[in-house]
Amino acid sequence: MAKPKRRYVCQACGSVSQRWQGQCPDCAEWNTLVEDAPATVFSAKHDLSSGGRAIRFEPLDAPNEKLQRRTTGLAELDRALGGGLVPGSAILMGGDPGIGKSTLLMQAAGKIALSGGSVVYISGEEAAGQVRMRAERMGLAKAPVQLASATSVRDILTTLGGMEPPTLLVIDSIQTMHSDQIEGAPGTVSQVRGCAFELIRFAKESGTALVLVGHVTKDGNIAGPRVLEHMVDVVMSFEGERSHQYRILRSLKNRFGPVDEIGVFAMQGQGLEEVGNPSMLFLSGRENPVPGSAVFPAMEGTRPVLVEIQALIVRLQSGATPRRAVVGWDSGRLAMLLAVLEARCGLNFSSAEVYLNVAGGYRLSDPGADLAVAAALISALGDRALPSHAVWFGEVSLAGEVRPVAHSGIRQREAAKLGFHRAFGPPGGAQPEVDTRYAEIALLPNVVDRILSDA
Ligand code: TYD
Ligand code: MG
């Protein structure tokens, strides 16, 4: 018999190499290749005599039980899930260590248990005493959550098999689980995948909603669990700056609802507090208009959020290479916008340091932010404050045109609700029914004229 070939699996992205290398050829991570069990070779013959069974086909219009979602008791979590927990579904909850995943899930577990659901919380990272202390701090000591500290998937599933299946099963985290059926240490791709497979099968068969916690590596991808993204129904990411209070729960994939929905929380002394109206949150103390600050009505899924964009320009005396630093926005996009401002508007940033910051630790992904960023940059460069109580939105093309973005009406309604009654945006964006003075900006040089000429 041929000797099984060795294979090496990257623990960051799951790609397979035939030989060990210091750097993964696919994702360029260092020291992530680990020897893995050889790939299984399946027999090529498939018929009833070789152990196969015939499967049954069903029509698409077969009567189906309606999706019975269950609320988690946290409206922001329900919103991000697309309306609550779906029985039998598997949810992957990713996030940096320390961002608050265990806190959020213990809170949801407590609320569900207090409203009559049965919840099993398995912690593979912390002793039961530690988890209990956290629950106590959040005022959930009386919640009938069934808590255990365990890492063996066999033990967990044996226990669950001997009881009524719970409404919710939380596994914190999937990287600490191990199965004795699979070779390798906990946290390796084959272990993570194998353990998740067994747990997800249990969820599907029993109708238990399953949440797997997964840690994320520094490049922002769910480590190891990236290989789980296709196995689960919902992928959520819990984000935020550790130094800020605010946390945003995003759905990156959802088989039962829309993606890009967000839930907003604030980390407090007694756990996470829900933030129902996030717009005010990201606008820092804006009493007097200051140069370099522009307000952008962002869209997060179906929800508008007003955020403040701050720019700072520092002229350099020496010929040193100027810095460009961005927090909360894409640095490539900033470079593009600076190039457009130079080429189309005749502004000169080449000898200046440029700092861009999105207030409140918020991370913008909405392409409509271009015009607001441009306005902040121009305002900072000219040391002129932008008109007060105004919002800016629109996508900027390389030619310097301002292009329309989706949901113009929702953005302006939200702005008006918070007292921003002026809007600058692409042609055709005016909304007659909204109480807003709308100024059309067709080309980026128009912004420069508006801000830098004496109006
Ligand atoms: P945790 O949920 O343990 O993070 P994760 O599971 O994502 O690793 O949260 C850890 C942080 O949250 C920790 O730095 C302390 C902070 N925290 C609070 O500020 N208030 C609280 O009530 C709790 C429980 C935690
Ligand atoms: Mg944790």
Side-chain angles (χ1 to χ4, degrees), residues 77-165:
L77 176 59
D78 286 347
R79 173 201 287 273
L81 284 168
L85 285 173
V86 176
S89 65
I91 299 157
L92 176 64
M93 170 81 73
D96 287 331
I99 206 71
K101 301 180 294 297
S102 305
T103 308
L104 176 67
L105 291 172
M106 182 44 84
Q107 251 168 288
K111 295 250 179 176
I112 292 174
L114 284 172
S115 69
S118 64
V119 182
V120 171
Y121 192 109
I122 308 283
S123 177
E125 304 194 330
E126 295 165 284
Q130 268 173 294
V131 182
R132 206 179 301 117
M133 250 164 58
R134 177 178 316 116
E136 233 163 71
R137 204 165 133 195
M138 299 187 291
L140 292 170
K142 294 273 179 303
V145 174
Q146 307 188 72
L147 172 68
S149 177
T151 56
S152 159
V153 170
R154 183 194 285 272
D155 293 353
I156 293 167
L157 290 180
T158 303
T159 312
L160 291 172
M163 60 191 261
E164 186 71 19

Side-chain angles (χ1 to χ4, degrees), residues 46-47 49 56 100 133 144 155 167 257 350 361 369 452:
H46 298 299
D47 58 24
S49 66
R56 201 160 51 87
M133 250 164 58
D155 293 353
T167 317
S350 59
L452 301 185

